[in-house]
Amino acid sequence: MSEENNMTKKVDYDPSRIQNVEHGVSNTLDNIGVELLQIRVGGETVHAKRIGGFFRNIKTIIAPIWLLLFLGPYLQWDGHQAILWDIPNRQFHILGLTILPQDIWMLALILLFFAMALAAASAVAGRLWCGYFCFQTVWMDTFTWIEEKIIGNPNKQAALDKAPWTWEKIKLKGLTHSIFLSIGMLTGFSFVAFFTDSLQLWQDIFAGTASSTAVTVILVLGFATYFFAAILREQTCVGVCPYARIQGAMLDKQTMVPTYDIDRGEPRGRMKRVRPGEEAPKLGDCIDCNLCVAVCPTGIDIRSGQQLGCITCGLCIDACDSVMEKLDKPLGLIRYASLEEFEGKTQPPLFKRPRVLVYGGIMAFAGAILVYGLATIAPMKLNVLHERAPLFVMLSDGSIQNKLTIKVVNKTNKVMQVKLSADGIANMRVEGDTDLLLVEPGSVGSTTMLIKAPRANLKGDNTPVQIHAQDVLHPELAQTYDSMFIGPK
Ligand code: SF4
Ligand code: SF4
């Protein structure tokens, strides 16, 4: 049996060990402020309760930072759009740097880096991406926050779902869903704005002159965002997202995921005052308040073991810790823990876990090459092609002539006026099209250079020469190409 199958077997708790000792709703709990919640799962929309805590704070911090990404197309850098995928001209502009098709390997490395980061994070702590960073999660969390502000707490939201369609319900539902749809459309718009002049796109939309492609993409992405985050909600994470299906291959027995400590929690049961002469029931620490289920955005009960729908957001940990605090019991009845921890084994450090090492190694490799590539990517690239037929021409004055095709790539967002020159042989002359070469941003300028040199000054049939290109408008932009001057043997 594979390791994953073993793992699944161990994770699925034996239901016979879970006992629900019902002692009735207790005044004791009311006194300490623990709310006994009715949970709604199975067929009904999940309206998760929001409570504070460590993991909620992390989500609250990460979500706005993530949403700021959508401001990317509106940022300006040196008078140009800071991030622009210029597909018609096959250029990617980022913060003044232009990545042309020949540098596309860097984008491939970026994708590899993030894929490995995702795999490494999953191996360490499960669906971390889903819990904190995935757009679906962030949007869903934002939408449910808006819903709570407009309609009220989860109980009111559930009641409104069941209520007949009155004017009040139409008003509340209409308002919330209009906001959801607007956010969806803004999402679609911001996505398209990465691929075109963002401010021009706004003008075109309002003037009704935007291209049908842009409008179609905005509408498709806008409705998709609305459908997945506002209508399907947690069902997207549970049943639609492919990552949920493949995560099993990335986890192992040392992966830390939110886990209910069944030995400590069971038999669960609600506390009640024990009358004199009555024997106190022997209960675990779980008071079956259901708060952990009520806060779960995917509506699952982590006490039943790990499930496909758990996005490892840790909100149930916050919930249970808040209950334990009130009960004056140790925190961590639900906590990030690995299967090996529950088997009594010591968690090895990350650098001793082969899976993490492999993912981390590939990440480091991709990251190092990427950093090198970004550090050495030149804003100007000079290419020199030697004329092959003939390789050289012997002139009537006895000197030798070589013909070179010069190509200058402008990777900046400014026009270049390039001065070309050459040296390396005594008394050599440069002729041909040696006026300033005008190269538009993100394009390639081409010209021909003729080099003439006295035969006596050549060092055999191949004499090293250097071709220089310098932008006269920005002299710091310069390149040198080592070439060969070819002469007779
Ligand atoms: S695990 Fe914690 S939050 Fe969940 S029902 Fe038990 S005591 Fe309540
Ligand atoms: S079970 Fe806990 S960690 Fe998993 S999704 Fe629900 S609240 Fe988040």
Side-chain angles (χ1 to χ4, degrees), residues 56 76 84 93 110 128 145 159 174 191 202 205 208 257 295 319 486:
R56 165 52 69 189
Q76 295 285 304
L84 175 64
H93 301 275
I110 291 173
L128 273 187
W145 178 80
F191 181 81
W202 275 110
I205 291 283
V257 286
V295 299
I486 301 174

Side-chain angles (χ1 to χ4, degrees), residues 13 27 57 196 247 254 256 395 436:
Y13 290 176
N27 287 334
N57 288 345
T196 186
Q247 62 166 336
Q254 291 154 346
M256 310 268 287
L395 302 177
L436 289 181

Side-chain angles (χ1 to χ4, degrees), residues 442-463:
S443 61
V444 183
S446 181
T447 189
T448 302
M449 179 186 270
L450 297 176
I451 303 179
K452 297 177 183 177
R455 183 172 181 179
N457 295 346
L458 301 184
K459 298 171 186 159
D461 54 347
N462 278 308
T463 307

Side-chain angles (χ1 to χ4, degrees), residues 34-37 260-261 265-266 268-270 285-295 301-303 316-324 327 333-334:
V34 175
E35 198 181 348
L36 298 173
L37 292 148
Y260 171 66
D261 188 340
E266 299 299 322
R268 71 184 72 159
R270 294 176 179 173
D285 279 354
C286 174
I287 58 168
D288 205 18
C289 63
N290 288 329
L291 189 59
C292 52
V293 188
V295 299
D301 187 344
I302 193 69
R303 294 172 300 170
C316 54
I317 300 178
D318 282 345
C320 193
D321 279 352
S322 73
V323 175
M324 293 300 117
L327 295 172
L333 177 56
I334 303 175

Side-chain angles (χ1 to χ4, degrees), residues 154-439:
N155 287 338
K156 287 185 180 163
Q157 294 167 30
L160 189 69
D161 283 351
K162 289 182 185 146
W165 281 97
T166 59
W167 172 238
E168 183 64 12
K169 179 168 177 172
I170 293 171
K171 204 172 67 183
L172 289 171
K173 288 281 182 188
L175 179 60
T176 47
H177 282 263
S178 305
I179 295 173
F180 296 162
L181 197 53
S182 305
I183 294 175
M185 289 303 159
L186 273 175
T187 307
F189 186 93
S190 297
F191 181 81
V192 173
F194 277 104
F195 295 86
T196 186
D197 184 329
S198 54
L199 301 177
Q200 185 64 45
L201 182 62
W202 275 110
Q203 288 175 20
D204 292 346
I205 291 283
F206 284 114
T209 54
S211 72
S212 56
T213 308
V215 173
T216 306
V217 176
I218 290 171
L219 289 177
V220 168
L221 287 176
F223 279 115
T225 305
Y226 171 73
F227 177 69
F228 286 116
I231 305 292
L232 268 193
R233 298 190 183 210
E234 74 287 344
Q235 296 308 320
T236 309
C237 311
V238 177
V240 179
C241 176
Y243 178 53
R245 312 271 149 195
I246 60 169
Q247 62 166 336
M250 298 183 199
L251 311 190
D252 56 28
K253 291 168 74 177
Q254 291 154 346
T255 303
M256 310 268 287
V257 286
T259 311
Y260 171 66
D261 188 340
I262 192 169
D263 293 327
R264 184 182 147 193
E266 299 299 322
R268 71 184 72 159
R270 294 176 179 173
M271 299 155 65
K272 76 175 221 178
R273 282 203 185 90
V274 179
R275 293 192 188 87
E278 228 178 36
E279 195 187 343
K282 289 195 172 31
L283 297 176
D285 279 354
C286 174
I287 58 168
D288 205 18
C289 63
N290 288 329
L291 189 59
C292 52
V293 188
V295 299
C296 178
T298 57
I300 63 172
D301 187 344
I302 193 69
R303 294 172 300 170
S304 304
Q306 289 188 352
Q307 295 147 63
L308 207 60
C310 178
I311 55 172
T312 67
C313 64
L315 295 180
C316 54
I317 300 178
D318 282 345
C320 193
D321 279 352
S322 73
V323 175
M324 293 300 117
E325 222 166 14
K326 286 171 185 163
L327 295 172
D328 212 12
K329 290 189 173 174
L331 308 185
L333 177 56
I334 303 175
R335 61 181 182 273
Y336 264 97
S338 69
L339 280 175
E340 285 201 343
E341 184 189 322
F342 279 101
E343 287 170 359
K345 295 181 184 163
T346 311
Q347 185 81 351
L350 290 182
F351 64 84
K352 286 198 175 165
R353 292 176 56 189
R355 193 181 287 254
V356 179
L357 277 180
V358 170
Y359 294 147
I362 299 173
M363 247 175 92
F365 174 74
I369 296 183
L370 197 60
V371 169
Y372 172 78
L374 285 173
T376 56
I377 190 170
M380 172 196 283
K381 192 162 190 294
L382 175 63
N383 267 327
V384 178
L385 302 171
H386 208 288
E387 178 92 350
R388 308 306 300 173
L391 282 171
F392 62 88
V393 174
M394 194 172 298
L395 302 177
S396 55
D397 63 357
S399 60
I400 308 295
Q401 174 180 288
N402 279 199
K403 186 176 176 188
L404 306 174
T405 300
I406 311 287
K407 288 181 186 289
V408 177
V409 185
N410 179 357
K411 296 185 184 179
T412 71
N413 49 25
K414 295 191 179 75
V415 172
M416 283 181 178
Q417 290 184 28
V418 181
K419 180 175 172 14
L420 296 167
S421 59
D423 57 36
I425 304 171
N427 301 322
M428 67 188 285
R429 287 171 289 136
V430 176
E431 292 178 5
D433 189 5
T434 52
D435 288 345
L436 289 181
L437 177 65
L438 198 73
V439 191

